[in-house]
Amino acid sequence: MIRELMDVHKESKFDHPFLGRNKIATGEDFYEKSKRTSPPDAFRAARKLAEFELRIGNIQTALDYLKEADALFIENRAYFDKTEEAAFFMDLAVTYFRLGESENCISCGDGAACLLPISGKGVHELTVGSTKAIEYLKLVLAIEPNNYSAKWLWNIAAMTLGKFPDGVPVEHRIDANKFKDDIEFPRFKNVSNEKKLDTLGLSGGAVCEDLNGDGFFDIMVSDWNSSTQIRYFENDGKGNFSDKTMDSNLKGIYGGLNLIDADYDNDGDIDIFVLRGAWGGKHGLIPNSLLQNDGNGNFTDVTFDVGLEDSRYPTQTGSWADYDLDGDLDLYIGNEEHPCELFQNQGDGTFKDIAHLAGVTNDNLFTKAVIWGDFNNDRYPDLYVSNYFKPNRLYKNNQDGTFTDVAYVMDMAGPAMSFTSWFWDFNNDGVQDLFVATYPNDMENYSRQFFGVGKSNSERDLLYQGDGAGGFSEVGAKVGLNVSTESMGANYGDLDNDGYLDFYLGTGAPHFKFLVPNLMYKNMDGNQFKSVTYAGGFGHLQKGHAVAFVDLDNDGDQDVFQVLGGAYPGDRFQNALFENPGNGNNWIKIKLNGTKTNRSGLGARIKLTFEEDGKTRSVYRWVNSGGSFGCNPFLQHVGIGKSNKIDLVEVYWPVSDKTQVFGDVVPNQTMIIDESTGWSNESSQNLE
């Protein structure tokens, strides 16, 4: 595998559409010829070369080309219309803005950088980048006064100079209240630098699990760049981390836009699957990796040993489940413009692709997310597939090894431009719901919503609420989710231990001008969602990918880890860790050990019943790793608000079709529940 990954790296350096340099050499030849024969063509070639240099991180070289283009433009102005002129000025603005980010934000060591609304230590000390960006944004708006992308960037640039809002003319100014939330919320601090987790990289995945068996949550991160090493950070038990990559047999394991975890061999530790090739087209026909854990945080790439070596399609998404209820975990891989794959676990450490037999190949569509859930409550996991610009799938498990797509007949094929998705129970009614985020990749429409000029023309995110009878109704707008979010990474958790699941969306798009805040939504008792993006300090401007909710410092509340960075080598950024300041509510952590059901209890259902403020409440969780881009621990962290006692803990195991019940459980502890022997705490009443 390491040899293959090295070959991929060598090829990607030159030919990859996002990572390669080959277009620069071709463009340089054309540029030199055009300067002698056609100045307008030379102008356009210089702009294109500037774009390529910016993509690979050569900001000054990009600016040099743009300066040459500017001279050609002045000398040949008659050849260019106003649209091309405005686009050129936008190039200059964006490149200078990236210069400002590079000089002030990247590797700055302060977690306040790039957090909207930018203030305090987030304000740039070196001001040339943003100052020049504003100069060119003014020129754009002089030509196109309704260019909302330019208006948006002017406001952001003004913030970086400490000149917002007064430094922006009224006709282009965003109301400062747009960067305030309707509710108060404690502010989380980005502590990635002090915790030594501020890895600098591009788009990637994250797994937060106890990878070495010491009881504390470690972190593994990937970077989709074919030359970047997967990294493993070990937790000391207090939320401080040390890089153990080279001690974990991971050297040479490069790349991976996403990571998903599972105990695929039922040996009691967490293994990692690395997904590669996304966005690469013909350059994405490369192998994924299955990294087997020895239980001590040492990993062996067993891809070629277990029957997964032929899976070489571009992908960024996969999901584990025991779809046939035989006690071991199977793997579905969502591929881009190639057949999706369903690898059935053979129970002997190997896998067999049975996607065609099962009817889940997804017709070579462009798959963005896949997730398992039992939407009709028949024990058997069903499969949701999010496709970009094509109908989504809801594959109902027929319990005989085959599936039937019911998305269209259930009116669940949208949104058309979908990306991240997940099953959850947002309103604690014991029925799984489905969230699907949109990805229009449209900066202009996104910007419009900040200027009071009407809603975006783009689709909004959808929330399908389960009805308990196997049906759904779409309630997104009803519960306050009425915007298009441009989500790429996402996950959910309980920020304040109130028992209701909140969620965080990593946002953005490949273009450098696409700087929009990542978004955090608080669940208001299962009835509404309210933004706490700005109040909570989550509105990071950099491109957001994998997200995990996890109690890294073992203090009883969930922190939020996020992988940041774009698609191009020049769009790197540090990963973030938002530390929870605490909330005073109580909680319980539940770790399941399956015997007939898979070892991690993936797919099991947990129900808590307790009394709070004189009312009986129930909270439900299904064991999984959360959303479709980033992995929470399989150990379930469940808030119970102000309740001081849990009346009942119920665990339903899907393979044995058995429910265990435990009574009078004291909160603020970890329960370890075995499918065969139950919970071994003698002080608790076991009602099984």
Side-chain angles (χ1 to χ4, degrees):
M1 176 64 76
I2 291 175
R3 286 195 299 270
E4 286 216 27
L5 294 179
M6 183 56 67
D7 290 340
V8 170
H9 164 55
K10 291 177 180 178
E11 178 187 358
S12 296
K13 285 197 301 183
F14 299 101
D15 296 329
H16 194 279
F18 286 85
L19 306 173
R21 298 178 55 91
N22 65 330
K23 292 181 179 179
I24 293 177
T26 303
E28 287 173 339
D29 290 341
F30 180 75
Y31 176 52
E32 292 300 325
K33 293 177 182 177
S34 298
K35 283 196 292 187
R36 298 188 298 270
T37 60
S38 174
D41 286 345
F43 164 78
R44 297 179 181 110
R47 281 186 62 197
K48 187 59 67 175
L49 281 167
E51 178 184 352
F52 294 152
E53 293 287 356
L54 179 62
R55 287 178 178 181
I56 65 174
N58 296 334
I59 300 174
Q60 191 55 57
T61 305
L63 287 171
D64 290 342
Y65 274 120
L66 288 173
K67 290 174 184 176
E68 292 182 30
D70 194 30
L72 289 164
F73 173 78
I74 292 171
E75 294 173 2
N76 301 274
R77 187 183 293 268
Y79 290 96
F80 309 111
D81 61 22
K82 290 296 183 180
T83 299
E84 190 167 13
E85 183 178 0
F88 172 52
F89 292 146
M90 193 68 167
D91 289 349
L92 281 155
V94 169
T95 305
Y96 271 112
F97 192 87
R98 186 59 184 172
L99 174 66
E101 291 178 297
S102 176
E103 292 179 332
N104 294 275
C105 306
I106 300 174
S107 301
C108 70
D110 192 288
C114 294
L115 291 176
L116 283 188
I118 296 170
S119 61
K121 292 184 178 180
V123 174
H124 291 184
E125 294 182 3
L126 301 175
T127 61
V128 171
S130 288
T131 300
K132 294 291 288 184
I134 290 173
E135 289 180 15
Y136 287 107
L137 290 169
K138 290 179 181 178
L139 295 176
V140 173
L141 289 165
I143 299 169
E144 298 177 348
N146 290 323
N147 186 319
Y148 289 96
S149 298
K151 289 172 181 275
W152 167 262
L153 287 177
W154 188 347
N155 283 265
I156 303 305
M159 287 185 194
T160 67
L161 298 174
K163 296 181 179 180
F164 176 85
D166 295 339
V168 183
V170 173
E171 64 270 25
H172 300 312
R173 185 187 305 166
I174 298 174
D175 183 347
N177 289 319
K178 293 287 187 179
F179 302 108
K180 297 179 181 179
D181 294 317
D182 294 337
I183 61 173
E184 294 183 0
F185 197 77
R187 191 170 182 86
F188 286 49
K189 181 183 178 183
N190 180 7
V191 297
S192 62
N193 177 258
E194 61 190 78
K195 300 297 183 180
K196 302 187 185 307
L197 289 170
D198 56 337
T199 309
L200 185 63
L202 301 180
S203 315
V207 166
C208 294
E209 273 287 2
D210 177 11
L211 296 175
N212 62 354
D214 65 356
F216 305 112
F217 294 125
D218 312 300
I219 299 178
M220 186 178 289
V221 296
S222 67
D223 178 328
W224 91 297
N225 195 328
S226 62
S227 64
T228 303
Q229 171 72 53
I230 282 180
R231 306 282 289 277
Y232 168 47
F233 298 94
E234 190 174 273
N235 191 336
D236 69 355
K238 299 179 181 179
N240 301 306
F241 292 84
S242 54
D243 190 337
K244 296 293 185 179
T245 303
M246 294 300 108
D247 300 327
S248 302
N249 199 36
L250 290 168
K251 184 177 180 180
I253 305 298
Y254 290 166
L257 182 56
N258 202 358
L259 303 174
I260 55 174
D261 58 345
D263 183 1
Y264 85 92
D265 49 6
N266 276 337
D267 65 353
D269 53 51
I270 300 300
D271 313 297
I272 310 291
F273 191 71
V274 184
L275 295 146
R276 298 190 179 96
W279 314 337
K282 66 180 181 180
H283 301 284
L285 303 176
I286 57 179
N288 302 308
S289 284
L290 178 59
L291 305 178
Q292 184 183 49
N293 191 348
D294 70 353
N296 298 307
N298 300 306
F299 297 88
T300 302
D301 193 318
V302 296
T303 309
F304 297 153
D305 302 321
V306 301
L308 295 172
E309 69 276 9
D310 292 331
S311 181
R312 295 168 180 260
Y313 301 122
T315 179
Q316 62 183 288
T317 183
S319 190
W320 295 89
D322 182 6
Y323 84 91
D324 50 6
L325 295 186
D326 64 353
D328 50 39
L329 292 174
D330 313 295
L331 172 64
Y332 188 83
I333 302 176
N335 294 314
E336 297 175 352
E337 299 178 325
H338 290 85
C340 294
E341 299 157 299
L342 176 56
F343 287 98
Q344 183 185 52
N345 194 324
Q346 302 299 290
D348 59 0
T350 65
F351 293 86
K352 180 181 179 181
D353 182 14
I354 51 89
H356 283 88
L357 294 175
V360 292
T361 56
N362 196 34
D363 296 336
N364 295 1
L365 301 182
F366 201 93
T367 311
K368 300 298 287 185
V370 296
I371 199 74
W372 295 92
D374 182 9
F375 79 86
N376 55 2
N377 200 31
D378 66 353
R379 294 172 53 221
Y380 284 79
D382 310 295
L383 177 66
Y384 183 78
V385 180
S386 167
N387 294 309
Y388 198 51
F389 272 108
K390 294 292 182 179
N392 301 323
R393 312 280 197 182
L394 179 58
Y395 288 113
K396 182 175 73 71
N397 193 327
N398 296 325
Q399 305 184 17
D400 60 1
T402 68
F403 294 77
T404 300
D405 179 16
V406 297
Y408 184 78
V409 297
M410 294 178 64
D411 197 22
M412 296 178 68
M417 297 174 287
S418 63
F419 200 149
T420 51
S421 62
W422 61 79
F423 283 102
W424 61 342
D425 182 2
F426 81 90
N427 56 355
N428 281 324
D429 64 354
V431 178
Q432 287 193 307
D433 314 301
L434 176 67
F435 178 88
V436 192
T438 56
Y439 187 66
N441 192 1
D442 187 340
M443 185 67 202
E444 187 69 13
N445 259 328
Y446 184 93
S447 302
R448 288 173 64 89
Q449 61 193 339
F450 284 86
F451 290 93
V453 292
K455 293 184 178 180
S456 165
N457 296 325
S458 299
E459 294 179 302
R460 62 171 174 81
D461 297 347
L462 300 182
L463 177 59
Y464 295 102
Q465 181 177 334
D467 63 8
F472 292 88
S473 57
E474 203 287 304
V475 298
K478 178 180 177 182
V479 300
L481 303 177
N482 55 5
V483 296
S484 175
T485 55
E486 301 285 358
S487 171
M488 300 185 294
N491 217 324
Y492 59 83
D494 186 355
L495 292 173
D496 52 3
N497 283 337
D498 67 350
Y500 290 97
L501 292 170
D502 316 301
F503 68 97
Y504 191 41
L505 300 179
T507 61
H511 197 284
F512 282 82
K513 73 178 179 181
F514 217 111
L515 289 168
V516 300
N518 295 285
L519 302 170
M520 182 70 82
Y521 287 93
K522 174 174 165 47
N523 190 331
M524 309 297 290
D525 300 332
N527 299 311
Q528 285 280 310
F529 287 91
K530 294 283 190 179
S531 171
V532 292
T533 299
Y534 308 116
F538 300 109
H540 211 296
L541 272 176
Q542 297 300 321
K543 313 294 170 63
H545 288 86
V547 174
F549 286 70
V550 54
D551 184 4
L552 289 172
D553 48 9
N554 205 32
D555 63 353
D557 49 47
Q558 290 187 309
D559 312 297
V560 181
F561 179 77
Q562 183 179 29
V563 173
L564 295 167
Y568 297 108
D571 205 4
R572 301 180 301 161
F573 209 80
Q574 309 103 302
N575 297 334
L577 172 59
F578 299 101
E579 185 175 52
N580 197 320
N583 48 70
N585 286 335
N586 294 320
W587 49 271
I588 193 79
K589 297 179 183 179
I590 300 176
K591 176 179 173 59
L592 300 186
N593 287 332
T595 51
K596 292 184 178 180
T597 300
N598 65 86
R599 182 69 176 269
S600 299
L602 192 61
R605 184 188 67 203
I606 298 170
K607 177 183 178 182
L608 305 185
T609 304
F610 53 90
E611 186 175 295
E612 184 184 26
D613 296 331
K615 298 180 180 178
T616 299
R617 288 184 57 192
S618 294
V619 173
Y620 296 83
R621 296 289 185 270
W622 278 259
V623 178
N624 56 36
S625 58
S628 57
F629 213 122
C631 293
N632 298 339
F634 291 127
L635 178 148
Q636 296 299 295
H637 182 130
V638 189
I640 59 169
K642 300 299 182 185
S643 180
N644 293 313
K645 184 186 71 170
I646 303 172
D647 298 317
L648 294 175
V649 174
E650 302 174 52
V651 179
Y652 174 73
W653 300 89
V655 174
S656 59
D657 195 19
K658 165 184 175 181
T659 301
Q660 295 171 322
V661 184
F662 311 95
D664 296 332
V665 176
V666 177
N668 303 334
Q669 64 168 310
T670 298
M671 299 178 69
I672 300 177
I673 301 174
D674 187 277
E675 186 174 8
S676 297
T677 61
W679 183 38
S680 60
N681 190 326
E682 295 180 355
S683 65
S684 175
Q685 182 183 5
N686 188 334
L687 303 179
E688 181 184 351

